[in-house]
């Protein structure tokens, strides 16, 4: 694992979160302290329960309060969830500022950006909080060009046959 790398997995294909979690498992097995913050997943009770069993090696956090997927929420519910999602981004920045982990996975953070919940300035502040040796993995469907510039590695995941 490269020290201080920022990786982005994006695209319409399946497997972005799986690749990020696989990387997290690899880091944890190497003795690294790993945090995973999941966004826009709903609370996904079965998956969350499984991921919680990986603690203390991998700490998993969700800031959404609803069981519904973001796209299914009313505008009023989205307003509430946006506050929760921004809290998740603020928590990620705090984790980085306090150098609490070796690897931070921000699962579906690109969707938070795509939905206008956080801005380019928010992302710049987040990445500026990163210690030089801390790794970050970001996933999502749509990659803003400014995020490409912030990354060391970018992987586009797309289906060849479906």
């Amino acid at each position: 694992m490269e020290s201080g790398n920022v990786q982005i997995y994006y695209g319409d294909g399946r497997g972005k979160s799986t690749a990020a979690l696989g990387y997290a498992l690899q880091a944890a097995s190497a003795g690294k302290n790993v945090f995973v913050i999941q966004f826009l997943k709903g609370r996904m009770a079965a998956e969350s329960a499984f991921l919680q069993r990986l603690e203390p090696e991998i700490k998993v956090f969700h800031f959404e309060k609803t069981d519904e997927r973001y796209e299914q929420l009313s505008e009023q519910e989205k307003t509430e969830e946006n506050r929760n999602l921004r809290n998740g981004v603020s928590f990620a920045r705090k984790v980085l500022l306090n150098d609490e982990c070796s690897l931070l996975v921000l699962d579906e953070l690109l969707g938070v950006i795509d939905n206008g919940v956080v801005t380019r300035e928010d992302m710049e502040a987040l990445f500026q909080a990163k210690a030089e040796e801390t790794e970050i993995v970001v996933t999502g469907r749509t990659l803003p060009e400014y995020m490409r510039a912030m990354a060391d590695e970018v992987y586009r995941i797309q289906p060849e046959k479906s």
Side-chain angles (χ1 to χ4, degrees), residues 54-87:
L54 299 175
E55 289 192 14
E57 288 79 10
I58 297 176
K59 295 169 185 68
V60 181
F61 301 91
H62 300 270
F63 287 84
E64 291 171 279
K65 302 297 182 208
T66 181
D67 291 329
E68 300 296 320
R69 295 190 64 87
Y70 187 83
E71 305 81 35
Q72 299 169 330
L73 300 176
S74 70
E75 287 307 311
Q76 181 178 351
E77 291 169 321
K78 282 183 181 178
T79 299
E80 169 103 10
E81 278 307 315
N82 288 350
R83 196 171 343 172
N84 297 328
L85 294 167
R86 281 191 296 275
N87 285 340

Side-chain angles (χ1 to χ4, degrees), residues 133-159:
E133 64 280 355
T134 303
E135 292 184 278
I136 298 176
V137 175
V138 177
T139 70
R141 290 195 178 275
T142 306
L143 179 62
E145 207 52 43
Y146 72 84
M147 285 294 292
R148 180 183 300 277
M150 293 180 188
D152 297 299
E153 299 176 24
V154 176
Y155 299 94
R156 183 172 181 194
I157 312 296
Q158 63 184 23

